[in-house]
Amino acid sequence: MVPAVNPPTTSNHVAVIGAGAAGLVAARELRREGHSVVVFERGNHIGGVWAYTPNVEPDPLSIDPTRPVIHSSLYSSLRTIIPQECMGFTDFPFSTRLENGSRDPRRHPGHSEVLAYLRDFVREFKIEEMIRFETEVVRVEQAGENPKKWRVKSRNFGDISDEIYDAVVVCNGHYTEPRHALIPGNKINHSFSIGLGIDTWPGKQIHSHNYRVPEQVKDQVVVVIGSSVSGVDISRDIANVTKEVHISSRSTKPETYEKLPGYDNLWLHSNIETVREDGSVVFKNGKTVYADTIMHCTGYKYYFPFLDTKGEVTVEDNRVGPLYKHVFPPALSPGLSFIGLPWQNMKLQTLDVNELIGQCFGYLLVIPFPMFELQSKWVAAVLAGRVSLPSQEEMEDTKMFYLKLEASCIPKRYTHLMAELDSQFVYNNWLADQCDYPRIEKWREQMFYKVFKRIQSQASTYKDDWDDDHLIAEAYEDFVKFPSNYPSSLIEREYTS
Ligand code: FAD
Protein backbone atom coordinates (compact mmCIF):
# COMPACT_ATOMS: atom_id res chain seq x y z
CA MET A 1 0.00 0.00 0.00
CA VAL A 2 1.34 3.44 -0.91
CA PRO A 3 1.06 5.79 2.07
CA ALA A 4 -0.31 9.30 1.88
CA VAL A 5 2.39 11.79 0.99
CA ASN A 6 1.95 14.88 3.16
CA PRO A 7 3.54 18.31 2.98
CA PRO A 8 6.79 18.46 4.96
CA THR A 9 6.34 19.40 8.57
CA THR A 10 9.52 18.82 10.49
CA SER A 11 13.16 19.70 10.15
CA ASN A 12 15.43 17.54 12.26
CA HIS A 13 19.04 17.69 13.33
CA VAL A 14 20.39 14.38 12.02
CA ALA A 15 23.66 12.53 12.60
CA VAL A 16 24.82 10.28 9.76
CA ILE A 17 27.53 7.74 10.63
CA GLY A 18 29.91 7.13 7.72
CA ALA A 19 30.84 8.94 4.49
CA GLY A 20 30.79 5.92 2.17
CA ALA A 21 28.31 5.75 -0.71
CA ALA A 22 25.42 5.19 1.73
CA GLY A 23 26.29 8.05 4.08
CA LEU A 24 26.89 10.47 1.20
CA VAL A 25 23.56 9.87 -0.47
CA ALA A 26 21.79 9.84 2.91
CA ALA A 27 23.26 13.27 3.67
CA ARG A 28 22.09 14.60 0.33
CA GLU A 29 18.56 13.26 0.72
CA LEU A 30 18.24 14.46 4.31
CA ARG A 31 19.30 17.97 3.39
CA ARG A 32 16.96 17.96 0.38
CA GLU A 33 14.10 17.30 2.83
CA GLY A 34 15.18 20.31 4.92
CA HIS A 35 17.03 18.57 7.74
CA SER A 36 20.32 19.82 9.15
CA VAL A 37 22.96 17.11 8.82
CA VAL A 38 26.30 16.21 10.36
CA VAL A 39 28.16 13.29 8.75
CA PHE A 40 30.69 11.63 11.04
CA GLU A 41 33.57 9.96 9.20
CA ARG A 42 36.38 8.29 11.08
CA GLY A 43 38.70 8.34 8.06
CA ASN A 44 40.19 11.42 6.43
CA HIS A 45 38.44 10.91 3.07
CA ILE A 46 35.08 10.06 1.55
CA GLY A 47 34.24 6.81 -0.27
CA GLY A 48 34.43 4.13 2.43
CA VAL A 49 35.40 0.79 0.90
CA TRP A 50 36.12 2.43 -2.46
CA ALA A 51 39.07 4.31 -0.99
CA TYR A 52 41.61 1.56 -1.75
CA THR A 53 44.67 1.38 0.48
CA PRO A 54 47.66 -0.95 0.11
CA ASN A 55 47.83 -1.07 3.92
CA VAL A 56 46.58 -4.13 5.76
CA GLU A 57 45.90 -4.91 9.39
CA PRO A 58 48.78 -6.36 11.48
CA ASP A 59 46.65 -9.39 12.39
CA PRO A 60 46.17 -11.09 8.95
CA LEU A 61 42.95 -12.75 10.09
CA SER A 62 41.58 -9.58 11.75
CA ILE A 63 40.53 -11.44 14.88
CA ASP A 64 42.30 -9.43 17.55
CA PRO A 65 39.67 -6.94 18.84
CA THR A 66 42.42 -4.47 19.81
CA ARG A 67 43.96 -4.36 16.32
CA PRO A 68 44.07 -1.07 14.41
CA VAL A 69 41.24 -1.38 11.87
CA ILE A 70 41.78 -0.71 8.16
CA HIS A 71 38.35 0.02 6.68
CA SER A 72 38.69 -0.93 3.01
CA SER A 73 38.67 -4.56 1.89
CA LEU A 74 39.42 -3.93 -1.77
CA TYR A 75 42.28 -5.58 -3.61
CA SER A 76 44.39 -3.72 -6.12
CA SER A 77 43.06 -5.33 -9.32
CA LEU A 78 39.36 -5.10 -8.38
CA ARG A 79 37.00 -3.99 -11.14
CA THR A 80 33.30 -3.52 -10.54
CA ILE A 81 31.09 -6.55 -10.91
CA ILE A 82 28.17 -4.40 -12.01
CA PRO A 83 28.36 -2.31 -15.20
CA GLN A 84 28.79 1.33 -14.30
CA GLU A 85 25.56 2.58 -15.98
CA CYS A 86 23.64 0.23 -13.72
CA MET A 87 25.65 0.92 -10.58
CA GLY A 88 25.28 4.69 -10.15
CA PHE A 89 22.71 6.76 -8.29
CA THR A 90 19.51 7.26 -10.27
CA ASP A 91 19.92 11.01 -10.86
CA PHE A 92 23.71 11.23 -11.08
CA PRO A 93 24.76 8.99 -13.96
CA PHE A 94 27.82 6.83 -13.53
CA SER A 95 28.95 7.27 -17.09
CA THR A 96 32.25 7.08 -18.90
CA ARG A 97 34.43 10.15 -18.34
CA LEU A 98 37.28 10.80 -20.73
CA GLU A 99 38.94 13.90 -19.23
CA ASN A 100 42.66 14.09 -20.01
CA GLY A 101 42.98 10.33 -19.91
CA SER A 102 42.80 10.58 -16.13
CA ARG A 103 39.65 8.49 -15.84
CA ASP A 104 39.02 4.79 -16.37
CA PRO A 105 36.72 4.46 -19.42
CA ARG A 106 35.98 0.75 -19.00
CA ARG A 107 32.39 -0.32 -18.52
CA HIS A 108 33.41 -2.30 -15.43
CA PRO A 109 35.99 0.18 -14.18
CA GLY A 110 38.61 -0.28 -11.51
CA HIS A 111 37.95 0.83 -7.94
CA SER A 112 39.62 4.22 -8.40
CA GLU A 113 36.96 5.22 -10.94
CA VAL A 114 34.21 4.45 -8.43
CA LEU A 115 35.98 6.68 -5.91
CA ALA A 116 36.30 9.39 -8.59
CA TYR A 117 32.55 9.10 -9.26
CA LEU A 118 31.78 9.48 -5.56
CA ARG A 119 34.09 12.52 -5.39
CA ASP A 120 32.19 14.06 -8.34
CA PHE A 121 28.95 13.37 -6.46
CA VAL A 122 30.27 15.07 -3.31
CA ARG A 123 31.43 18.10 -5.30
CA GLU A 124 28.19 18.43 -7.25
CA PHE A 125 25.95 18.32 -4.18
CA LYS A 126 28.33 20.18 -1.86
CA ILE A 127 28.28 17.35 0.62
CA GLU A 128 31.76 17.88 2.05
CA GLU A 129 30.60 20.87 4.11
CA MET A 130 28.43 18.46 6.12
CA ILE A 131 31.26 16.01 6.91
CA ARG A 132 33.41 15.93 10.03
CA PHE A 133 36.46 13.92 9.00
CA GLU A 134 38.65 11.96 11.40
CA THR A 135 35.76 11.88 13.81
CA GLU A 136 34.74 8.43 14.99
CA VAL A 137 31.36 7.83 16.58
CA VAL A 138 32.08 5.89 19.76
CA ARG A 139 28.61 5.77 21.31
CA VAL A 140 25.00 6.21 20.21
CA GLU A 141 22.13 5.91 22.72
CA GLN A 142 18.78 7.46 23.48
CA ALA A 143 19.17 10.66 25.46
CA GLY A 144 18.22 9.86 29.06
CA GLU A 145 16.30 13.09 29.58
CA ASN A 146 14.34 12.72 26.32
CA PRO A 147 14.22 9.23 24.78
CA LYS A 148 12.98 10.68 21.49
CA LYS A 149 16.39 12.32 21.11
CA TRP A 150 19.75 10.65 20.54
CA ARG A 151 23.04 11.21 22.30
CA VAL A 152 26.03 10.85 19.95
CA LYS A 153 29.51 10.70 21.41
CA SER A 154 32.38 11.08 18.97
CA ARG A 155 36.14 11.26 19.11
CA ASN A 156 38.36 13.47 17.01
CA PHE A 157 41.87 12.41 18.01
CA GLY A 158 41.91 13.21 21.75
CA ASP A 159 38.75 15.37 21.78
CA ILE A 160 35.46 13.77 22.79
CA SER A 161 32.20 15.48 21.78
CA ASP A 162 28.86 14.71 23.35
CA GLU A 163 25.90 16.01 21.34
CA ILE A 164 22.15 15.56 21.08
CA TYR A 165 20.44 14.82 17.75
CA ASP A 166 16.83 14.24 16.71
CA ALA A 167 17.82 11.22 14.65
CA VAL A 168 20.74 8.97 13.77
CA VAL A 169 21.19 7.26 10.41
CA VAL A 170 23.70 4.40 10.55
CA CYS A 171 25.77 4.00 7.35
CA ASN A 172 28.97 2.44 8.69
CA GLY A 173 29.29 -0.27 6.00
CA HIS A 174 29.48 -4.02 6.41
CA TYR A 175 32.64 -5.18 4.64
CA THR A 176 35.21 -4.56 7.37
CA GLU A 177 34.58 -7.00 10.25
CA PRO A 178 35.51 -10.49 8.95
CA ARG A 179 33.62 -13.73 9.49
CA HIS A 180 35.74 -16.85 9.80
CA ALA A 181 35.22 -20.47 8.89
CA LEU A 182 35.37 -23.19 11.50
CA ILE A 183 38.09 -25.56 10.33
CA PRO A 184 38.20 -28.91 12.07
CA GLY A 185 41.65 -29.37 13.60
CA ASN A 186 42.40 -25.65 13.67
CA LYS A 187 42.25 -23.53 16.80
CA ILE A 188 41.31 -20.39 14.93
CA ASN A 189 38.29 -19.76 17.11
CA HIS A 190 40.16 -20.15 20.34
CA SER A 191 43.21 -18.03 19.82
CA PHE A 192 43.87 -14.50 18.73
CA SER A 193 47.40 -15.41 17.75
CA ILE A 194 46.40 -17.55 14.80
CA GLY A 195 49.07 -17.48 12.14
CA LEU A 196 51.74 -16.68 14.71
CA GLY A 197 52.95 -20.22 15.17
CA ILE A 198 50.98 -21.79 18.00
CA ASP A 199 48.09 -23.14 15.97
CA THR A 200 47.57 -26.71 14.99
CA TRP A 201 48.02 -25.97 11.32
CA PRO A 202 51.46 -24.44 10.76
CA GLY A 203 50.90 -22.43 7.57
CA LYS A 204 49.91 -18.82 7.13
CA GLN A 205 46.27 -17.79 7.35
CA ILE A 206 44.79 -14.59 6.02
CA HIS A 207 41.29 -13.18 5.60
CA SER A 208 40.44 -11.65 2.21
CA HIS A 209 39.98 -8.34 4.08
CA ASN A 210 43.81 -8.23 4.19
CA TYR A 211 44.45 -9.39 0.63
CA ARG A 212 45.76 -6.69 -1.76
CA VAL A 213 48.08 -8.09 -4.45
CA PRO A 214 48.93 -11.59 -5.81
CA GLU A 215 52.60 -11.18 -4.82
CA GLN A 216 51.48 -11.81 -1.22
CA VAL A 217 51.20 -15.52 -2.12
CA LYS A 218 53.65 -15.83 -5.04
CA ASP A 219 54.89 -19.40 -5.74
CA GLN A 220 52.73 -20.81 -2.96
CA VAL A 221 50.06 -23.49 -2.73
CA VAL A 222 46.96 -21.69 -1.53
CA VAL A 223 43.67 -23.02 -0.19
CA VAL A 224 40.88 -20.50 -0.60
CA ILE A 225 37.92 -21.09 1.71
CA GLY A 226 34.71 -19.74 0.24
CA SER A 227 33.43 -19.75 -3.29
CA SER A 228 31.43 -16.55 -3.32
CA VAL A 229 32.46 -13.31 -4.96
CA SER A 230 35.73 -12.57 -3.24
CA GLY A 231 36.78 -16.23 -3.13
CA VAL A 232 36.45 -16.78 -6.85
CA ASP A 233 37.69 -13.35 -7.87
CA ILE A 234 40.77 -13.61 -5.67
CA SER A 235 41.46 -17.19 -6.83
CA ARG A 236 41.62 -15.94 -10.39
CA ASP A 237 43.73 -12.99 -9.30
CA ILE A 238 46.37 -15.18 -7.67
CA ALA A 239 46.28 -18.22 -10.00
CA ASN A 240 48.84 -16.70 -12.39
CA VAL A 241 51.56 -16.35 -9.75
CA THR A 242 50.88 -19.27 -7.40
CA LYS A 243 51.83 -22.93 -7.76
CA GLU A 244 48.30 -24.11 -7.06
CA VAL A 245 45.00 -22.72 -5.89
CA HIS A 246 42.39 -24.98 -4.27
CA ILE A 247 38.96 -23.50 -3.64
CA SER A 248 36.98 -25.12 -0.84
CA SER A 249 33.25 -24.64 -1.30
CA ARG A 250 30.49 -25.59 1.10
CA SER A 251 27.96 -25.20 -1.72
CA THR A 252 29.14 -28.27 -3.60
CA LYS A 253 28.58 -32.00 -3.17
CA PRO A 254 31.11 -33.79 -0.89
CA GLU A 255 32.72 -35.67 -3.80
CA THR A 256 33.39 -32.51 -5.79
CA TYR A 257 36.87 -32.27 -7.31
CA GLU A 258 37.04 -30.24 -10.51
CA LYS A 259 39.77 -28.51 -12.43
CA LEU A 260 38.33 -25.13 -13.31
CA PRO A 261 38.34 -24.01 -16.94
CA GLY A 262 40.90 -21.49 -18.17
CA TYR A 263 43.61 -22.44 -15.65
CA ASP A 264 45.87 -25.45 -15.19
CA ASN A 265 46.43 -24.86 -11.46
CA LEU A 266 42.96 -24.01 -10.12
CA TRP A 267 40.77 -26.67 -8.52
CA LEU A 268 37.40 -26.71 -6.88
CA HIS A 269 36.85 -28.97 -3.85
CA SER A 270 34.12 -29.60 -1.35
CA ASN A 271 34.48 -28.51 2.30
CA ILE A 272 37.65 -29.06 4.32
CA GLU A 273 37.46 -32.25 6.39
CA THR A 274 40.44 -31.38 8.60
CA VAL A 275 43.81 -29.65 8.72
CA ARG A 276 46.87 -31.25 10.31
CA GLU A 277 50.07 -30.26 12.04
CA ASP A 278 52.14 -31.48 9.07
CA GLY A 279 50.66 -28.68 6.94
CA SER A 280 48.17 -30.85 5.10
CA VAL A 281 44.63 -29.84 4.28
CA VAL A 282 42.22 -32.72 3.77
CA PHE A 283 39.01 -32.12 1.84
CA LYS A 284 35.74 -34.01 2.19
CA ASN A 285 36.35 -35.39 -1.32
CA GLY A 286 39.31 -37.34 0.11
CA LYS A 287 42.01 -35.21 -1.57
CA THR A 288 44.94 -33.90 0.48
CA VAL A 289 47.10 -30.90 -0.36
CA TYR A 290 50.09 -29.43 1.49
CA ALA A 291 49.37 -25.74 1.52
CA ASP A 292 51.44 -22.68 2.42
CA THR A 293 48.49 -20.36 2.98
CA ILE A 294 44.80 -20.64 3.78
CA MET A 295 42.88 -17.62 2.56
CA HIS A 296 39.55 -17.12 4.33
CA CYS A 297 37.13 -15.59 1.81
CA THR A 298 34.27 -16.12 4.21
CA GLY A 299 32.60 -12.74 4.21
CA TYR A 300 31.88 -10.11 6.79
CA LYS A 301 29.69 -9.36 9.81
CA TYR A 302 27.38 -6.49 10.62
CA TYR A 303 29.08 -4.68 13.45
CA PHE A 304 27.91 -1.64 15.41
CA PRO A 305 30.29 -1.36 18.38
CA PHE A 306 29.07 2.17 19.13
CA LEU A 307 25.36 1.37 19.33
CA ASP A 308 23.58 0.91 22.67
CA THR A 309 19.83 0.43 22.23
CA LYS A 310 19.29 -1.41 25.54
CA GLY A 311 18.53 -4.57 23.60
CA GLU A 312 15.95 -3.09 21.20
CA VAL A 313 18.24 -3.79 18.24
CA THR A 314 20.46 -6.85 18.35
CA VAL A 315 22.83 -8.59 15.96
CA GLU A 316 22.34 -12.35 16.18
CA ASP A 317 23.96 -14.67 13.66
CA ASN A 318 24.26 -11.63 11.40
CA ARG A 319 20.59 -10.65 11.67
CA VAL A 320 20.22 -6.98 12.61
CA GLY A 321 16.81 -6.84 14.14
CA PRO A 322 14.07 -6.30 14.47
CA LEU A 323 14.07 -3.91 11.52
CA TYR A 324 11.03 -2.91 9.47
CA LYS A 325 12.02 -3.29 5.81
CA HIS A 326 15.68 -3.61 6.86
CA VAL A 327 15.70 0.07 7.89
CA PHE A 328 13.66 1.11 10.95
CA PRO A 329 13.63 -0.66 14.36
CA PRO A 330 9.90 -0.48 15.21
CA ALA A 331 10.39 0.58 18.83
CA LEU A 332 12.94 3.28 17.98
CA SER A 333 11.63 4.63 14.70
CA PRO A 334 11.98 7.01 13.09
CA GLY A 335 14.86 8.30 15.24
CA LEU A 336 17.17 5.40 14.42
CA SER A 337 17.59 3.94 10.97
CA PHE A 338 20.04 1.80 8.98
CA ILE A 339 21.01 2.27 5.34
CA GLY A 340 22.57 -0.44 3.21
CA LEU A 341 21.94 -3.71 5.05
CA PRO A 342 20.38 -5.82 2.26
CA TRP A 343 23.01 -7.75 0.37
CA GLN A 344 23.71 -10.27 -2.34
CA ASN A 345 21.32 -12.06 -4.50
CA MET A 346 21.52 -15.78 -4.70
CA LYS A 347 19.28 -18.78 -4.73
CA LEU A 348 19.39 -20.77 -1.54
CA GLN A 349 20.14 -23.96 -3.35
CA THR A 350 23.01 -26.32 -3.94
CA LEU A 351 24.85 -25.16 -6.99
CA ASP A 352 25.67 -27.19 -10.03
CA VAL A 353 29.45 -27.49 -10.12
CA ASN A 354 29.64 -26.55 -13.79
CA GLU A 355 27.85 -23.30 -13.11
CA LEU A 356 29.70 -22.58 -9.93
CA ILE A 357 32.09 -19.90 -11.09
CA GLY A 358 29.31 -17.90 -12.69
CA GLN A 359 26.93 -18.44 -9.82
CA CYS A 360 29.54 -17.38 -7.35
CA PHE A 361 30.14 -14.10 -9.04
CA GLY A 362 26.39 -13.73 -9.13
CA TYR A 363 26.22 -13.75 -5.37
CA LEU A 364 26.99 -10.06 -4.97
CA LEU A 365 24.55 -8.91 -7.55
CA VAL A 366 22.52 -6.57 -5.48
CA ILE A 367 22.96 -3.05 -6.91
CA PRO A 368 23.83 -1.07 -3.79
CA PHE A 369 23.93 2.61 -4.77
CA PRO A 370 20.34 3.01 -6.07
CA MET A 371 19.10 1.01 -3.09
CA PHE A 372 20.99 3.30 -0.67
CA GLU A 373 19.45 6.25 -2.47
CA LEU A 374 15.88 4.98 -2.16
CA GLN A 375 16.29 3.93 1.47
CA SER A 376 17.68 7.39 2.20
CA LYS A 377 14.80 9.14 0.46
CA TRP A 378 12.39 7.12 2.57
CA VAL A 379 14.18 7.88 5.84
CA ALA A 380 14.44 11.59 4.99
CA ALA A 381 10.77 11.83 4.02
CA VAL A 382 9.62 9.95 7.13
CA LEU A 383 11.70 12.21 9.40
CA ALA A 384 10.23 15.25 7.67
CA GLY A 385 6.75 13.96 8.37
CA ARG A 386 6.04 13.93 4.62
CA VAL A 387 5.59 10.16 4.64
CA SER A 388 4.10 8.17 7.51
CA LEU A 389 5.29 4.86 8.89
CA PRO A 390 2.73 2.23 9.88
CA SER A 391 1.98 1.89 13.58
CA GLN A 392 4.56 0.18 15.76
CA GLU A 393 2.30 -2.89 15.98
CA GLU A 394 2.11 -3.14 12.20
CA MET A 395 5.86 -2.77 11.91
CA GLU A 396 6.25 -5.56 14.45
CA ASP A 397 4.99 -7.76 11.60
CA THR A 398 8.66 -8.01 10.81
CA LYS A 399 8.66 -10.75 13.45
CA MET A 400 6.27 -12.74 11.24
CA PHE A 401 8.83 -12.47 8.47
CA TYR A 402 11.46 -13.86 10.87
CA LEU A 403 9.13 -16.72 11.85
CA LYS A 404 8.61 -17.55 8.19
CA LEU A 405 12.37 -17.75 7.66
CA GLU A 406 12.68 -20.05 10.65
CA ALA A 407 9.81 -22.23 9.41
CA SER A 408 11.65 -22.59 6.10
CA CYS A 409 14.87 -23.49 7.99
CA ILE A 410 16.61 -20.40 6.63
CA PRO A 411 19.32 -19.33 9.08
CA LYS A 412 19.13 -15.87 10.65
CA ARG A 413 22.20 -14.77 8.75
CA TYR A 414 20.15 -14.73 5.56
CA THR A 415 17.63 -12.21 6.93
CA HIS A 416 18.99 -9.31 4.87
CA LEU A 417 19.59 -11.42 1.80
CA MET A 418 17.70 -10.46 -1.35
CA ALA A 419 17.19 -14.10 -2.12
CA GLU A 420 15.40 -14.09 -5.46
CA LEU A 421 16.71 -12.60 -8.67
CA ASP A 422 14.09 -9.85 -8.69
CA SER A 423 13.84 -9.29 -4.90
CA GLN A 424 15.91 -6.13 -4.92
CA PHE A 425 13.70 -4.54 -7.59
CA VAL A 426 10.53 -5.43 -5.72
CA TYR A 427 12.11 -3.91 -2.60
CA ASN A 428 13.47 -0.82 -4.38
CA ASN A 429 10.16 -0.17 -6.10
CA TRP A 430 8.36 -0.48 -2.77
CA LEU A 431 10.70 2.18 -1.36
CA ALA A 432 10.21 4.42 -4.41
CA ASP A 433 6.43 4.15 -4.04
CA GLN A 434 6.68 5.20 -0.40
CA CYS A 435 8.38 8.45 -1.40
CA ASP A 436 6.42 9.09 -4.59
CA TYR A 437 9.67 8.76 -6.56
CA PRO A 438 9.97 7.06 -9.97
CA ARG A 439 10.57 3.32 -9.84
CA ILE A 440 13.88 1.75 -10.90
CA GLU A 441 14.36 2.17 -14.66
CA LYS A 442 13.50 -0.85 -16.79
CA TRP A 443 16.87 -0.69 -18.57
CA ARG A 444 18.64 -0.92 -15.21
CA GLU A 445 16.70 -3.99 -14.22
CA GLN A 446 17.24 -5.65 -17.61
CA MET A 447 20.93 -4.76 -17.55
CA PHE A 448 21.19 -6.46 -14.18
CA TYR A 449 19.59 -9.67 -15.52
CA LYS A 450 21.87 -9.52 -18.55
CA VAL A 451 25.05 -9.21 -16.51
CA PHE A 452 23.85 -11.96 -14.20
CA LYS A 453 23.46 -14.29 -17.21
CA ARG A 454 26.74 -13.17 -18.72
CA ILE A 455 28.58 -13.94 -15.53
CA GLN A 456 27.21 -17.47 -15.66
CA SER A 457 28.04 -18.08 -19.30
CA GLN A 458 31.36 -16.20 -19.67
CA ALA A 459 32.77 -15.73 -16.20
CA SER A 460 36.27 -14.77 -17.29
CA THR A 461 35.30 -12.32 -20.06
CA TYR A 462 32.03 -10.76 -18.94
CA LYS A 463 33.61 -7.46 -17.94
CA ASP A 464 34.94 -6.78 -21.45
CA ASP A 465 32.57 -8.62 -23.74
CA TRP A 466 28.82 -7.96 -23.77
CA ASP A 467 25.75 -8.01 -25.96
CA ASP A 468 23.50 -5.36 -24.42
CA ASP A 469 24.53 -2.23 -26.30
CA HIS A 470 20.83 -1.46 -26.79
CA LEU A 471 20.45 -1.17 -23.00
CA ILE A 472 23.52 1.06 -22.75
CA ALA A 473 21.96 3.29 -25.41
CA GLU A 474 18.71 3.42 -23.41
CA ALA A 475 20.63 4.29 -20.26
CA TYR A 476 22.46 7.12 -21.98
CA GLU A 477 19.18 8.45 -23.38
CA ASP A 478 18.04 8.69 -19.77
CA PHE A 479 21.31 10.19 -18.58
CA VAL A 480 20.81 13.24 -20.80
CA LYS A 481 18.18 14.32 -18.27
CA PHE A 482 20.95 14.78 -15.71
CA PRO A 483 23.48 17.04 -17.42
CA SER A 484 25.48 17.65 -14.25
CA ASN A 485 27.25 14.34 -14.75
CA TYR A 486 26.90 13.89 -18.47
CA PRO A 487 29.78 15.71 -20.15
CA SER A 488 29.61 16.19 -23.90
CA SER A 489 32.72 14.02 -24.21
CA LEU A 490 30.47 11.06 -23.53
CA ILE A 491 29.21 11.25 -27.04
CA GLU A 492 32.62 9.94 -28.06
CA ARG A 493 32.05 6.73 -26.20
CA GLU A 494 32.20 3.53 -28.16
CA TYR A 495 29.94 0.86 -26.86
CA THR A 496 31.54 -2.05 -28.58
CA SER A 497 33.93 -4.17 -26.61
P1 FAD B 1 31.36 1.81 3.29
O1 FAD B 1 31.78 2.14 1.92
O2 FAD B 1 32.05 0.73 4.00
O3 FAD B 1 31.43 3.16 4.16
C1 FAD B 1 31.24 3.19 5.54
C2 FAD B 1 31.96 4.40 6.10
O4 FAD B 1 31.65 4.51 7.48
C3 FAD B 1 33.48 4.32 6.00
O5 FAD B 1 33.98 5.47 5.37
C4 FAD B 1 33.95 4.22 7.46
O6 FAD B 1 35.18 4.84 7.69
C5 FAD B 1 32.81 4.92 8.19
N1 FAD B 1 32.66 4.50 9.58
C6 FAD B 1 32.54 3.24 10.06
N2 FAD B 1 32.38 3.26 11.40
C7 FAD B 1 32.40 4.56 11.78
C8 FAD B 1 32.29 5.22 13.04
N3 FAD B 1 32.11 4.54 14.18
N4 FAD B 1 32.36 6.56 13.07
C9 FAD B 1 32.53 7.27 11.92
N5 FAD B 1 32.65 6.70 10.71
C10 FAD B 1 32.58 5.36 10.64
N6 FAD B 1 29.28 -2.54 -4.94
C11 FAD B 1 28.95 -2.21 -6.21
O7 FAD B 1 28.02 -1.44 -6.43
N7 FAD B 1 29.63 -2.74 -7.27
C12 FAD B 1 30.68 -3.56 -7.10
O8 FAD B 1 31.27 -4.01 -8.09
C13 FAD B 1 31.08 -3.90 -5.75
N8 FAD B 1 32.16 -4.69 -5.52
C14 FAD B 1 32.56 -4.89 -4.23
C15 FAD B 1 33.71 -5.66 -3.98
C16 FAD B 1 34.16 -5.87 -2.69
C17 FAD B 1 35.40 -6.70 -2.47
C18 FAD B 1 33.46 -5.30 -1.60
C19 FAD B 1 33.96 -5.48 -0.20
C20 FAD B 1 32.32 -4.56 -1.83
C21 FAD B 1 31.85 -4.36 -3.15
N9 FAD B 1 30.70 -3.62 -3.39
C22 FAD B 1 30.33 -3.34 -4.69
C23 FAD B 1 29.82 -3.20 -2.30
C24 FAD B 1 30.22 -1.87 -1.66
O9 FAD B 1 30.45 -2.18 -0.34
C25 FAD B 1 29.12 -0.88 -1.81
O10 FAD B 1 29.14 -0.49 -3.18
C26 FAD B 1 29.20 0.41 -1.02
O11 FAD B 1 30.32 1.14 -1.39
C27 FAD B 1 29.09 0.31 0.49
O12 FAD B 1 28.91 1.61 0.98
P2 FAD B 1 28.59 1.94 2.50
O13 FAD B 1 28.52 3.42 2.59
O14 FAD B 1 27.45 1.13 2.95
O15 FAD B 1 29.83 1.40 3.32
Side-chain angles (χ1 to χ4, degrees), residues 40 57 84 128 191 233 237 240 279 321 336 444 451 477:
F40 292 87
E57 296 177 3
Q84 59 178 7
E128 197 156 314
S191 166
D233 213 8
D237 203 31
N240 291 329
L336 184 65
R444 201 185 294 262
V451 76
E477 268 167 38

Side-chain angles (χ1 to χ4, degrees), residues 84-85 87-88 92-96 109 113-114 117 476 479 485:
Q84 59 178 7
E85 307 88 25
M87 189 173 147
F92 191 71
F94 191 174
S95 46
T96 301
E113 184 61 23
V114 184
Y117 167 79
Y476 276 73
F479 289 174
N485 207 34

Side-chain angles (χ1 to χ4, degrees), residues 18 20-22 41-42 48-50 71 80-81 87 137 172-173 175 368-369:
E41 171 51 56
R42 68 179 170 189
V49 290
W50 293 106
H71 187 80
T80 65
I81 299 158
M87 189 173 147
V137 170
N172 67 329
Y175 292 104
F369 290 14

